[in-house]
Amino acid sequence: MFSHLREDIASIFERDPAARTTWEVLTCYPGLHAIYIHKLARWFWTHGLRWLGRFTSNFGRWATGIEIHPGAVIGRRVFIDHGMGVVIGETAEVGDGCTIYQGVTLGGTSLTPGAKRHPTLGRGVIVSAGAKVLGGFTVGDGARVGANSVVLKPVPAGATAVGIPARIVEDSGARRAERFAAYAVVQEQDDPYAKAIQKLVEHSSELEQSLAKLSERLADLEKDKQREQLRSIK
């Protein structure tokens, strides 16, 4: 347990420049408190003490503002930053090294008891503030979910999902997945939709220029025709 705690504290120092001392992290980081309250709640849950697991989970929600169902599976070195309003559902799975910011929901869209209703986050996934990941699909290793996005479909490893509903913005895969990006913000991130719109605008401009030239040419032809008619009359 203590080795895991040391890992968790080290991961917070790696991902939060505001962390100054180990004592501060131990006493003032609700995300860390929520993770360890969840460990206790899950122990009760997996040992048949379901009510006690839910009660412990509810205490954690009251104490930290972070609600993690005792049935959820949380990996190692998971960092819940700020954390207020985070909700993680019963069948959710959060992989090692994930980062979850405030206001995130890992929710379910199915009402079937016992089914896989909540998402699975791979290793090193970043889910930014206010994002909602809804459904029993997988968000691949190293993927990022932008702030306030609503993800309803699987996200490939190393990609970034943004928007409502979320669309996939391709990153350069593993190279970007290797480095941490706070709030899932990546410099020089290209949006294929923006690129497509830009190409349409450029194409439209080219068409306008072509039409203007054609219009001038037709006008010249009309003038030439009128001159010919005048000469024939004379």
Side-chain angles (χ1 to χ4, degrees), residues 104-185:
V104 166
T105 299
L106 304 183
T109 56
S110 168
L111 299 178
T112 306
K116 172 66 173 165
R117 308 188 309 278
H118 303 87
T120 295
L121 306 187
R123 293 172 177 264
V125 172
I126 301 171
V127 187
S128 196
K132 316 300 176 191
V133 186
L134 308 175
F137 52 82
T138 297
V139 178
D141 294 350
R144 300 178 177 92
V145 178
N148 293 318
S149 299
V150 179
V151 183
L152 302 173
K153 296 180 180 179
V155 179
T160 299
V162 296
I164 304 174
R167 61 186 186 274
I168 303 302
V169 178
E170 294 296 338
D171 284 347
S172 50
R175 181 178 65 82
R176 289 190 176 178
E178 287 173 358
R179 71 176 188 269
F180 178 71
Y183 284 95
V185 174

Side-chain angles (χ1 to χ4, degrees), residues 198-212:
Q198 181 62 32
K199 286 181 179 178
L200 286 172
V201 170
E202 292 172 358
H203 185 59
S204 175
S205 178
E206 291 173 1
L207 283 175
E208 286 179 0
Q209 292 174 7
S210 298
L211 285 171

Side-chain angles (χ1 to χ4, degrees), residues 19-32:
R20 293 176 295 179
T21 66
T22 298
W23 179 246
E24 181 183 52
V25 171
L26 281 171
T27 55
C28 301
Y29 275 65
L32 183 66

